[in-house]
Amino acid sequence: MAKVVVTGGSGMLGRWVVRHFAEQGYEVLSVDTRQPDEAVCPSLIVDLEDLGQTYGALAGADAVVHMAAIPRAGMVPPEVTFRNNVMSTYNVLEAAAGLGIRKAVIASSESSYGICFAIHPFGPQYVPMDEEHPQLPQDSYGLSKVVNEATADMFHRRTGMQIVSLRLGNVIPPDWYERFPSFIHKPEERERILWSYIDTRNAAEACRLAIEAEGLGSVALNLASDETSMDIPSRELMTARYPQTTDFRAPLNGYETLLNNEKAKRLLGWQPKHRWREELK
Ligand SMILES: NC(=O)c1ccc[n+]([C@@H]2O[C@H](COP(=O)([O-])OP(=O)(O)OC[C@H]3O[C@@H](n4cnc5c(N)ncnc54)[C@H](O)[C@@H]3O)[C@@H](O)[C@H]2O)c1
């Protein structure tokens, strides 16, 4: 049985990743600075900013799924976010490389494009935004994700380790769908995340498919549902909130996602199965 270490396993997304790998028959070790609410698998309290602890946590693993981070700007001072997110990712990949681990997934973010936490607001250059769209963060959280993707590239060059960086849209656990009716008709809400969302179960499955895939090298993939989180057509959302963006690279005649997810589907054989309209029924 393959062993996978999930970092951030006590977090909002990490707990779903832990559960998914366990259900799929993997031996799982959950690693976090805090105890999990639910004991699905063995867990270790580890500060990933410490390389020695990180080595100890990853020893014996076949793969690592690194979800641990400070998950947005503004929670703690910016340099704390930057140091934690950049050093923990460096240490996870340094330890994985030293231990001969060949597969890793790391959590990147749509915030790496910079729109989400911009101090000087700006819109996308084109939509749906694919992975070629420039990453232009003005904040240390977005920058930490850009740096982490570069760190992944470096470790791939050094060791050949496969590292998939998942640029997650806004992460939604199943019990959050009841909140959707409060915003689905308000285009001004969630505009900074291009109204994107990704169900925790869909994201967890993508993590596993990324670990099971072969030959991906170091690659960044947007991860979002096929449709936005809104009950307003995507073209109307863009016209209302980002009128300067006129480069539409898809027909946009429905509610389709403005964060292009085609690459993840193509490379991972992934489909976002859980959708907010069905979940609300
Ligand atoms: N929540 C979102 O909408 C969203 C969107 C895009 C990307 N992401 C990314 O997805 C990942 C998971 O986010 P989440 O919303 O579940 O966040 P979360 O805060 O719920 O979970 C993150 C976990 O990481 C742990 N952690 C942080 N620093 C650590 C360290 N140095 N050592 C060990 N553990 C540490 C925390 O204790 C926490 O349990 C993060 O990398 C985040 O940046 C989240």
Side-chain angles (χ1 to χ4, degrees), residues 7-15 31-34 46-49 66-72 75 84-85 88 107-111 141 145 166-172 198:
T7 76
S10 305
M12 184 183 68
L13 173 56
R15 71 189 62 193
V31 163
D32 204 297
T33 44
R34 58 188 170 104
V46 172
D47 184 351
L48 298 164
E49 283 198 62
H66 175 46
M67 297 287 117
I70 293 167
R72 58 188 159 274
M75 286 176 70
N84 184 74
N85 292 359
S88 63
S108 187
S109 175
E110 52 76 29
S111 299
Y141 173 71
K145 296 299 188 182
L166 296 175
R167 292 183 188 164
L168 297 150
N170 183 228
V171 177
I172 301 288
I198 177 74

Side-chain angles (χ1 to χ4, degrees), residues 214-228:
E214 299 290 343
L216 295 184
S218 179
V219 66
L221 304 175
N222 287 342
L223 214 64
S225 282
D226 285 336
E227 66 291 330
T228 71

Side-chain angles (χ1 to χ4, degrees), residues 104-259:
V105 169
I106 66 172
S108 187
S109 175
E110 52 76 29
S111 299
S112 67
Y113 295 112
I115 297 166
C116 186
F117 298 113
I119 288 88
H120 312 290
F122 66 99
Q125 295 180 4
Y126 60 87
V127 287
M129 263 180 17
D130 60 16
E131 293 81 356
E132 303 305 312
H133 192 284
Q135 293 170 296
L136 303 167
Q138 299 169 13
D139 63 285
S140 80
Y141 173 71
L143 179 63
S144 75
K145 296 299 188 182
V146 175
V147 172
N148 291 346
E149 291 185 12
T151 303
D153 292 343
M154 185 278 279
F155 277 105
H156 170 68
R157 282 193 294 275
R158 185 195 289 180
T159 68
M161 188 187 341
Q162 173 176 293
I163 309 170
V164 178
S165 302
L166 296 175
R167 292 183 188 164
L168 297 150
N170 183 228
V171 177
I172 301 288
D175 60 348
W176 280 22
Y177 286 113
E178 62 196 38
R179 302 181 192 184
F180 273 48
S182 71
F183 61 72
I184 54 177
H185 296 118
K186 295 181 184 163
E188 69 280 9
E189 290 201 24
R190 303 172 66 78
E191 64 183 10
R192 290 284 192 117
I193 51 172
L194 289 188
W195 307 279
S196 69
Y197 80 103
I198 177 74
D199 185 294
T200 47
R201 296 162 292 182
N202 292 337
E205 188 174 27
C207 290
R208 178 180 57 81
L209 292 170
I211 290 297
E212 292 175 354
E214 299 290 343
L216 295 184
S218 179
V219 66
L221 304 175
N222 287 342
L223 214 64
S225 282
D226 285 336
E227 66 291 330
T228 71
S229 55
M230 306 296 286
D231 201 26
I232 300 170
S234 302
R235 186 176 285 269
E236 267 182 53
L237 289 170
M238 287 303 297
T239 310
R241 305 305 296 177
Y242 292 111
Q244 272 106 353
T245 305
T246 53
D247 187 355
F248 292 176
R249 300 189 179 179
L252 294 193
N253 47 20
Y255 300 90
E256 57 273 60
T257 180
L258 296 161
L259 196 59

Side-chain angles (χ1 to χ4, degrees), residues 3 5 27 29 44 52-62 95-96 99 101:
K3 179 175 174 183
V5 171
E27 182 185 349
L29 174 66
L44 263 187
Q53 292 183 41
T54 308
Y55 255 97
L58 266 56
D62 301 293
L99 292 163
I101 293 172

